[in-house]
């Protein structure tokens, strides 16, 4: 079963604009991770935020985590056509062994040149 | 430094057949996890192997089994294939106490 849900399901923006994707989850977590997937291929790890962190940055990525609302957001600034991909959040539930990731349903991002 | 590799890249089987998928983890990694991703969905956790044993399992039937070898590589076996087993099968490797997993390119299985 899916732990999380991403919102929106699909997003289309122009190059240079910012893209924001949201993720909601159901259970307590150790950490939340964001992955990118190009055209149904392998997943690329983008960023990890632990349950005791509220915000994290990596290059053009900014992730926030609100454990009281069980939600996270991923912001991609100054988007590029190469950012076109599906983006998934994945949670590592508390109480289990590490790395049993539970993925959301994904957001399909299209960046128009 | 080789990343996670999977073979084959594509596979076509018929209902009732059996299939074996293979995964070589990233150099230095000791833990392998398998995920199934149906079209348009997020990956779902199948099971994880560490020290040649199944460490934890997701909600998949016993038709799905696996193995980890002493060199940390792993196999996923699926028996009595169903049409619904058609999916992208992803392997991910990590170190047992580390949080970040590295995914392979996947094996796309089509069951006819």
């Amino acid at each position: 079963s899916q732990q999380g849900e991403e919102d929106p399901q699909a997003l289309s923006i122009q190059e240079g604009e910012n893209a924001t994707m949201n993720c909601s989850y159901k259970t307590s977590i150790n950490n939340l991770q964001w992955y990118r997937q190009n055209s149904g291929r392998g997943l690329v790890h983008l960023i990890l935020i632990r349950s005791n962190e509220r915000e994290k940055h990596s290059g053009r990525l900014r992730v926030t985590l609100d454990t009281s609302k069980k939600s996270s957001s991923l912001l991609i600034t100054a988007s590029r056509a190469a950012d076109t991909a599906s983006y998934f959040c994945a949670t590592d539930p508390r109480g289990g062994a590490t790395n049993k990731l539970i993925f959301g349903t994904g957001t399909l991002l299209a960046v128009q040149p | 430094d080789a990343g996670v590799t999977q073979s084959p890249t594509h596979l076509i089987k018929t209902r009732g057949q059996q299939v074996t998928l293979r995964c070589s983890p990233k150099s230095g990694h000791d833990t392998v996890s398998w995920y199934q991703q149906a079209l348009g969905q997020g990956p779902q956790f199948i099971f994880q192997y560490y020290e040649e044993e199944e460490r934890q399992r997701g909600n998949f039937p016993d038709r799905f089994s696996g193995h980890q070898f002493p060199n940390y590589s792993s196999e996923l076996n699926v028996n009595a294939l169903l049409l619904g087993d058609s999916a992208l099968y992803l392997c991910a490797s990590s170190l047992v106490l580390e949080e970040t997993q590295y995914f392979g390119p996947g094996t796309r299985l089509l069951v006819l």
Side-chain angles (χ1 to χ4, degrees):
Chain A
S1 62
Q2 305 285 166
Q3 154 83 302
E5 293 185 1
E6 278 92 336
D7 170 52
Q9 288 187 322
L11 180 61
S12 182
I13 60 174
Q14 296 294 124
E15 230 174 3
E17 293 181 338
N18 295 341
T20 299
M21 289 159 266
N22 302 297
C23 167
S24 61
Y25 58 91
K26 298 175 184 175
T27 64
S28 296
I29 60 172
N30 293 316
N31 63 66
L32 184 144
Q33 305 176 39
W34 285 89
Y35 285 83
R36 184 185 74 222
Q37 185 176 42
N38 291 85
S39 300
R41 300 175 67 184
L43 295 162
V44 175
H45 184 266
L46 296 176
I47 194 166
L48 179 152
I49 186 165
R50 294 187 176 86
S51 59
N52 61 352
E53 297 175 309
R54 292 296 167 258
E55 186 170 316
K56 205 162 184 180
H57 296 252
S58 176
R60 294 184 296 113
L61 306 179
R62 181 173 78 98
V63 170
T64 63
L65 179 65
D66 186 337
T67 52
S68 66
K69 294 181 179 178
K70 291 186 169 57
S71 67
S72 173
S73 68
L74 171 67
L75 169 68
I76 304 174
T77 60
S79 63
R80 306 165 181 168
D83 295 328
T84 295
S86 292
Y87 291 82
F88 294 91
C89 68
T91 53
D92 190 350
R94 185 165 296 169
T98 303
N99 280 335
K100 179 185 175 181
L101 294 180
I102 302 179
F103 284 81
T105 50
T107 292
L108 179 59
L109 173 65
V111 181
Q112 310 297 333
Chain B
D1 179 21
V4 180
T5 60
Q6 293 186 243
S7 63
T9 56
H10 295 82
L11 204 51
I12 300 175
K13 292 285 188 179
T14 56
R15 280 178 297 175
Q17 286 189 313
Q18 178 264 344
V19 69
T20 297
L21 311 181
R22 295 176 176 83
C23 171
S24 292
K26 184 176 169 66
S27 179
H29 284 183
D30 55 12
T31 303
V32 173
S33 301
W34 286 92
Y35 293 81
Q36 180 196 65
Q37 185 178 21
L39 198 61
Q41 301 293 317
Q44 292 203 22
F45 177 82
I46 303 174
F47 43 52
Q48 182 181 92
Y49 277 84
Y50 170 67
E51 291 190 337
E52 302 179 49
E53 291 192 358
E54 185 181 290
R55 190 159 170 248
Q56 51 183 338
R57 189 179 182 92
N59 189 26
F60 279 80
D62 291 345
R63 298 187 297 109
F64 290 77
S65 63
H67 189 76
Q68 185 178 35
F69 299 94
N71 66 353
Y72 306 117
S73 67
S74 177
E75 288 182 350
L76 164 65
N77 300 292
V78 187
N79 294 323
L81 284 167
L82 304 173
L83 296 180
D85 295 331
S86 295
L88 179 68
Y89 288 85
L90 296 161
C91 168
S93 74
S94 60
L95 285 168
V96 65
L97 295 179
E98 291 193 357
E99 298 160 307
T100 301
Q101 294 186 79
Y102 294 83
F103 282 79
T107 293
R108 189 165 295 281
L109 172 65
L110 177 62
V111 182
L112 301 176

